[in-house]
Amino acid sequence: MSDRVTVSVIKADVGSVGGHARPHPLMMKKCEERLADGLRAGTIDDYYVTRVGDDINLFLTHTRGENNRDVHGLTWEAFMDATKVAKSMKLYAAGQDLLTDAFSGNVRGAGPGAAEMEFKERGAEPMVFFMADKTEPSSYSLPLCRSYMDPFTTTGLVIDPRAHEGFKFEIVDVCDSKKVVMSTPDETYDILTLLGDTTRYAIKKIWSKSSDIGIAAVVSTEKLNIAAGKYVGKDDPVCICRAQSGLPAVGELLQPYMFPALVSGWMRGSHYGGWYPCAVDDSDPVFFDGPPRICAVSLHVSNGVFQGLEDPTSPRGTHVALDYFKGSCWDKARSDAVKASIYMRRHGPFMPAVLGPEEMEYTTRPAVLKKLKERMEKLE
Ligand code: F6R
Ligand code: MG
Ligand code: MG
């Protein structure tokens, strides 16, 4: 058996009940069934099915490495079957994120989002899985910079010897499909120069600079608008973080979300709203199709499989992940997010409530400009 494990989270919106709100339980069940088939066939070693808003998130462990054809194919089949369920019930936007009829070996570029990391398991491997709805990958840049670069957030950067060595960041230019690896703390200001532009740059991966840890975090950065050749939806990205022992502690990963940053997405993928931290069960968009949501759940990876809080009523001992944003401690952040979102809504269709013209998922601008072509005069 390989001494390295791969953790993959592959996610897609393939239809929902109540508009773009929540996948039907039978769609989730269908995904569970397909992944159980994959487990029996030895394609994967374990799975966990969850969701945020209208997105189904498939968590997998296996030893096949990143971008594996069989693993991606299994999730593609699961999403296809869930789409069939959604279509049979005439649910909304059934199959939305499956952009092709023929699977070509990898879900990347085909619509679903994927975050995958391969590592050698430590003595204990606590992981935090962030799942966002109604927003885009660069939304993670601010909280990740706080957790991995800011000693006023992560005291570990100052007092934990291995965290103190710093981190390497892979930053992608999502518009031009380019990437660069940069280092903290030495290049901190240069990193922020790029990442401050959330319309173009996003963090893809973070590694520890300490010799014995490896990968620390990974974000799904497939931009659906580019994959589809046109804008068909914000990515609703996931971010996987390994935690503790030389990496940011769970608390240092979560703290940034106490500030509900304004992130892009929300209604029609075209607005800024306050990022609302919530439990998975509370992740249905309810205010102006949002506001943008963020969930954080934890499972350990133990001997190549997931370890959570087991459900004693389930025959298989189905995993139950720890749901961090469930508790009342996060009520203040939720209320701040709603307050910020109401403030933004007061601007109606004016910037900065709506995104810049290049980023709008919906627009009538070209048609209106075309109509006005003859009437538009040069200024004196
Ligand atoms: C945002 C989202 C929704 C829809 C909106 C309009 O990611 O999913 O806000 O954009 O409900 O949807 P359509 O165009 O399907 O009527
Ligand atoms: Mg949807
Ligand atoms: Mg969504």
Side-chain angles (χ1 to χ4, degrees):
M1 191 188 135
S2 163
D3 70 340
R4 293 176 74 74
V5 60
T6 307
V7 176
S8 303
V9 178
I10 302 186
K11 50 83 43 189
D13 171 356
V14 289
S16 42
V17 177
H20 292 276
R22 185 200 282 230
H24 192 281
L26 288 178
M27 296 166 65
M28 310 278 288
K29 187 161 173 267
K30 188 52 84 178
C31 289
E32 294 254 3
E33 286 167 8
R34 289 317 297 258
L35 297 186
D37 292 343
L39 187 67
R40 276 191 292 276
T43 308
I44 52 172
D45 294 327
D46 205 359
Y47 66 87
Y48 177 70
V49 178
T50 184
R51 62 113 191 175
V52 57
D54 56 2
D55 296 280
I56 299 179
N57 288 251
L58 310 178
F59 295 10
L60 312 168
T61 65
H62 53 95
T63 50
R64 293 167 185 263
E66 295 174 38
N67 295 313
N68 178 267
R69 185 186 179 94
D70 297 331
V71 172
H72 282 226
L74 176 66
T75 61
W76 183 264
E77 293 298 325
F79 289 133
M80 289 285 277
D81 282 2
T83 298
K84 279 187 207 144
V85 173
K87 284 190 170 158
S88 74
M89 296 177 183
K90 277 189 78 185
L91 298 188
Y92 201 64
Q96 175 188 284
D97 284 354
L98 304 185
L99 305 177
T100 167
D101 293 332
F103 177 69
S104 61
N106 198 309
V107 297
R108 292 182 202 273
E116 301 185 277
M117 56 161 69
E118 188 184 8
F119 54 84
K120 189 171 183 308
E121 242 181 71
R122 296 173 293 167
E125 198 61 70
M127 308 202 58
V128 181
F129 299 86
F130 292 97
M131 305 184 292
D133 186 33
K134 314 287 186 221
T135 191
E136 61 181 357
S138 61
S139 301
Y140 286 116
S141 297
L142 187 154
L144 289 176
C145 286
R146 287 248 161 90
S147 295
Y148 292 87
M149 283 165 52
D150 173 20
F152 286 81
T153 299
T154 296
T155 316
L157 297 173
V158 182
I159 61 177
D160 177 320
R162 287 185 294 173
H164 191 75
E165 289 182 47
F167 294 89
K168 280 190 298 177
F169 283 59
E170 182 180 309
I171 294 170
V172 291
D173 175 336
V174 287
C175 300
D176 270 356
S177 298
K178 287 184 180 160
K179 62 180 182 180
V180 62
V181 176
M182 300 175 79
S183 163
T184 65
D186 37 315
E187 294 186 292
T188 296
Y189 295 165
D190 289 349
I191 290 173
L192 290 173
T193 303
L194 299 187
L195 292 178
D197 177 359
T198 50
T199 65
R200 176 173 280 264
Y201 298 101
I203 297 168
K204 175 74 197 169
K205 288 188 172 177
I206 303 175
W207 296 268
S208 165
K209 278 161 69 177
S210 174
S211 57
D212 61 342
I213 298 180
I215 189 77
V218 57
V219 179
S220 63
T221 53
E222 289 74 24
K223 251 205 159 178
L224 272 175
N225 59 329
I226 289 161
K230 63 183 173 63
Y231 223 137
V232 293
K234 291 286 175 202
D235 310 55
D236 302 339
V238 289
C239 169
I240 317 176
C241 298
R242 297 166 77 199
Q244 310 287 152
S245 301
L247 294 170
V250 170
E252 290 164 337
L253 292 171
L254 300 180
Q255 190 201 309
Y257 296 92
M258 269 292 167
F259 166 63
L262 290 173
V263 296
S264 84
W266 201 0
M267 173 61 79
R268 298 181 188 276
S270 305
H271 295 78
Y272 280 108
W275 213 3
Y276 182 91
C278 60
V280 170
D281 280 344
D282 180 32
S283 67
D284 305 330
V286 289
F287 163 32
F288 197 59
D289 283 7
R293 260 119 230 282
I294 180 74
C295 292
V297 299
S298 180
L299 290 165
H300 279 235
V301 173
S302 306
N303 302 315
V305 297
F306 289 123
Q307 179 64 53
L309 307 157
E310 307 303 307
D311 175 0
T313 61
S314 155
R316 198 183 134 246
T318 303
H319 306 303
V320 174
L322 200 143
D323 195 336
Y324 288 114
F325 294 149
K326 200 172 187 169
S328 60
C329 185
W330 292 90
D331 287 350
K332 170 77 168 64
R334 281 190 269 275
S335 131
D336 287 351
V338 171
K339 194 172 171 190
S341 299
I342 290 171
Y343 183 84
M344 294 303 276
R345 285 309 310 126
R346 289 198 180 142
H347 297 81
F350 284 82
M351 290 170 73
V354 295
L355 311 185
E358 298 302 318
E359 288 290 303
M360 298 281 280
E361 186 176 324
Y362 288 60
T363 184
T364 52
R365 194 161 104 136
V368 170
L369 287 175
K370 193 173 167 199
K371 201 163 62 180
L372 295 177
K373 204 168 172 213
E374 303 303 319
R375 286 162 56 195
M376 195 69 89
E377 295 175 37
K378 274 239 171 311
L379 285 176
E380 294 300 307

